[in-house]
Amino acid sequence: MNHIKIIAVSIVLTLFASCSKDDYKLDSKNIDPFIRFNFQTTSTGIPLEYPAINTSLLPASTYDNKSVKTLKIPVTLTSTNLKNAVEASFSVTTTGSEDDFTLNPVDKLLFEGTKLTDTLFLSFDKRWQPNQSITLKLKETSDPAIHIGNLNTSAVNDVFTVNLGEISTTYTFPVNRINLKGVAGETVDFKINFPNGFLPSEIENLDIFTFLNGFEYSLTHDDFGDDRSSITYHLTLLEDIQNDDVRYVTDITLNNTTNYTATGNTILQIIKPIKSPRDVQANPASKFYDLSNQFYLTYGEHWFDKSGTCAWQTFNAFTFPLVVTKDNENAILYSDKGTTNTADDVYHDAFIIGFNVVTGTNTTNSFGLKRFFSNESTAAQYSPGFNITSALEFFPTNGNSKTDGKVLVIPQYITIGTTKVSHVIAIAGEGTYKEISTGLFEISFELKLTNDELFGGTVSTQYKMYNNKTYPKIDPINDACPKEVTL
């Protein structure tokens, strides 16, 4: 039998002027005032945080928690606006150790005026043993006119239990590359996201990174604070690396550790790219996106295995510009939003496009990559590499041509996986682009993908991409082509 530990909660109740139930009755429904736990989750089981609420859902009386993030538990007083402040007390019991967690506030909930919801913050300080629980119970309020729990017998919600399940802690980079200008003293920030939170005591001295350094820099991070969902790091360049003809790269890789598994983007590249003299007014990137149309796609074909025979196979992807700051050397003004205030101006990189979804956690089909795999997850959580936000870079002929030039598949690492396994793939490539008829642009390039486990090294194939779904028929070629692989 589990030993139940009871944590005493000291309550200091402030005396207020006496109120009758009529003081609280809702104008339209004549409901007596009551206080209850109001914990709800999304359809995928993610807790809703006040003020988010789903009026079609009943509050839950239990929650199976597998995260070490702070759990926010709302408590709501159903009433009209309060004439006087109300305090409420609660008790806490646990089948584990009270040293494993912290509860705030520690002694009372407060409701006043139009503030009719207060929140209990349950923070975890250590990893718990499986199959333990924490139970909260509302006890009394500073005004006896307020009923404890809902005014029914089927869903009283005066008790809320957190069942502590098996912990799964992972971490990931939200992006896979960051560019530097290359000036000594320059600082760029990046984050590590922890979808299920982290414990500061475990992270503080953990060997998180493996480095492959191409320049000298220092690395610091913010204090952990109360937000256990991410950590912000600051990389400061310690040397000048502004040689225009050299591409400088540092790779920072997330390690798999005993308690934290690297998922999604596991390699972050910090890059000072080669500089090429280009006139932003050429703006080739603008030929391949239309932000006024949320369904805008680019269209393409790649030379790929089709039932044992190489053939051109079609694909399409949502295409977007790369948003940059005004001081970026490739920045071109996209919109002043119709105001004279320059603070809200939007700038795009004149030479880079990428592929992404409009909203949500799904993925688009960058380079038709979904055809390369038979069992891939299309969720960004497991296959962030299907969304390549900086994918192609254009180099106009003579630096200023508005009709043709060279194109580079921006070298980078992408991650494709399933819910159980992920693979890091290096991509690169190059080719040309040109306007083949009025307003119709064609990009021709070779894409190379490198991963020893999946491909036995490097595979490559030919691509044609267009800024319109109507384009000339492509003649077959004699090249070999890749085949679908199982992750």
Side-chain angles (χ1 to χ4, degrees):
M1 178 180 295
N2 286 327
H3 178 61
I4 307 293
K5 296 186 179 182
I6 300 179
I7 303 172
V9 179
S10 61
I11 305 298
V12 179
L13 295 179
T14 305
L15 295 178
F16 297 93
S18 176
C19 300
S20 70
K21 286 186 179 182
D22 289 340
D23 289 328
Y24 297 100
K25 287 183 183 293
L26 299 181
D27 293 339
S28 61
K29 297 187 178 180
N30 197 35
I31 298 175
D32 287 339
F34 61 94
I35 185 173
R36 86 286 191 195
F37 290 104
N38 198 20
F39 186 91
Q40 296 179 321
T41 65
T42 66
S43 59
T44 57
I46 299 173
L48 290 175
E49 295 185 5
Y50 180 80
I53 190 170
N54 187 334
T55 56
S56 65
L57 290 178
L58 290 174
S61 59
T62 63
Y63 177 67
D64 295 333
N65 185 53
K66 298 181 180 180
S67 166
V68 295
K69 289 168 56 175
T70 297
L71 186 63
K72 301 176 183 180
I73 306 168
V75 180
T76 298
L77 173 58
T78 299
S79 169
T80 56
N81 294 346
L82 298 173
K83 295 180 179 179
N84 298 290
V86 173
E87 293 178 356
S89 64
F90 55 89
S91 65
V92 187
T93 60
T94 176
T95 60
S97 169
E98 62 265 31
D99 295 331
D100 289 349
F101 64 90
T102 302
L103 194 64
N104 281 303
V106 297
D107 57 356
K108 60 186 175 183
L109 297 159
L110 178 64
F111 309 87
E112 54 187 345
T114 59
K115 177 181 173 288
L116 299 178
T117 293
D118 201 359
T119 301
L120 288 165
F121 294 83
L122 181 59
S123 300
F124 299 96
D125 306 310
K126 300 177 182 178
R127 288 181 182 259
W128 57 79
Q129 296 299 315
N131 303 316
Q132 296 184 348
S133 64
I134 300 169
T135 299
L136 308 172
K137 180 176 177 60
L138 297 173
K139 299 188 69 176
E140 59 184 356
T141 68
S142 57
D143 194 304
I146 299 172
H147 188 269
I148 302 297
N150 213 329
L151 302 178
N152 61 47
T153 57
S154 59
V156 179
N157 294 121
D158 62 335
V159 175
F160 183 74
T161 299
V162 181
N163 296 315
L164 303 177
E166 183 178 355
I167 303 171
S168 174
T169 43
T170 62
Y171 53 4
T172 184
F173 291 119
V175 299
N176 66 349
R177 65 194 307 274
I178 297 174
N179 280 355
L180 290 171
K181 295 177 181 178
V183 181
E186 176 184 0
T187 297
V188 294
D189 294 345
F190 64 88
K191 284 189 174 184
I192 302 177
N193 286 346
F194 295 79
N196 286 330
F198 66 91
L199 298 174
S201 60
E202 294 179 345
I203 292 294
E204 189 168 7
N205 297 312
L206 188 63
D207 189 14
I208 294 177
F209 301 124
T210 296
F211 302 96
L212 181 59
N213 295 326
F215 46 81
E216 295 295 322
Y217 61 91
S218 64
L219 193 62
T220 60
H221 64 76
D222 287 347
D223 293 338
F224 295 140
D226 296 327
D227 181 8
R228 305 288 177 82
S229 61
S230 67
I231 301 174
T232 298
Y233 283 79
H234 312 282
L235 182 148
T236 301
L237 190 58
L238 299 180
E239 61 173 316
D240 192 89
I241 52 172
Q242 294 186 78
N243 188 330
D244 291 349
D245 299 323
V246 178
R247 183 176 187 263
Y248 297 85
V249 183
T250 281
D251 292 344
I252 303 177
T253 302
L254 288 175
N255 295 326
N256 285 315
T257 67
T258 301
N259 290 327
Y260 295 86
T261 302
T263 62
N265 292 317
T266 59
I267 300 177
L268 174 65
Q269 291 188 300
I270 311 294
I271 302 167
K272 199 292 294 180
I274 293 173
K275 291 185 179 180
S276 176
R278 290 174 286 184
D279 182 358
V280 296
Q281 297 305 318
N283 199 11
S286 66
K287 308 300 182 183
F288 298 94
Y289 63 84
D290 180 2
L291 297 186
S292 67
N293 179 3
Q294 65 174 327
F295 302 110
Y296 181 83
L297 300 163
T298 48
Y299 300 83
E301 300 190 29
H302 60 150
W303 192 243
F304 201 82
D305 182 86
K306 186 177 183 179
S307 302
T309 302
C310 293
W312 289 109
Q313 299 208 54
T314 62
F315 69 94
N316 56 59
F318 289 106
T319 310
F320 294 91
L322 177 65
V323 177
V324 295
T325 56
K326 180 180 180 179
D327 61 347
N328 186 293
E329 65 179 357
N330 296 330
I332 188 167
L333 179 64
Y334 170 72
S335 173
D336 62 6
K337 295 191 175 180
T339 71
T340 57
N341 180 11
T342 60
D344 63 359
D345 290 352
V346 178
Y347 288 85
H348 291 165
D349 192 304
F351 306 107
I352 292 178
I353 60 171
F355 309 103
N356 207 342
V357 291
V358 178
T359 60
T361 59
N362 214 319
T363 53
T364 193
N365 195 14
S366 299
F367 300 133
L369 290 175
K370 292 178 182 179
R371 186 171 282 123
F372 278 74
F373 313 104
S374 63
N375 58 333
E376 75 282 0
S377 170
T378 59
Q381 176 182 357
Y382 303 108
S383 296
F386 286 136
N387 295 332
I388 307 176
T389 56
S390 295
L392 292 173
E393 185 168 6
F394 301 97
F395 297 85
T397 300
N398 298 322
N400 60 6
S401 173
K402 295 187 177 183
T403 59
D404 64 86
K406 295 183 178 180
V407 67
L408 177 73
V409 177
I410 298 174
Q412 60 193 283
Y413 295 101
I414 64 172
T415 299
I416 307 296
T418 69
T419 57
K420 296 181 179 179
V421 64
S422 62
H423 297 273
V424 176
I425 301 168
I427 65 169
E430 60 183 351
T432 61
Y433 72 96
K434 62 181 177 180
E435 187 176 25
I436 59 174
S437 63
T438 303
L440 179 63
F441 279 79
E442 176 187 78
I443 310 173
S444 300
F445 62 96
E446 179 186 39
L447 177 67
K448 299 178 180 179
L449 299 90
T450 301
N451 179 286
D452 288 341
E453 183 178 356
L454 293 177
F455 310 123
T458 299
V459 295
S460 65
T461 190
Q462 297 297 317
Y463 280 76
K464 301 278 189 180
M465 285 184 61
Y466 303 88
N467 61 341
N468 192 293
K469 64 181 177 181
T470 302
Y471 52 84
K473 179 178 175 61
I474 307 173
D475 293 330
I477 57 178
N478 293 322
D479 293 14
C481 61
K483 296 183 179 181
E484 184 183 74
V485 298
T486 300
L487 298 177

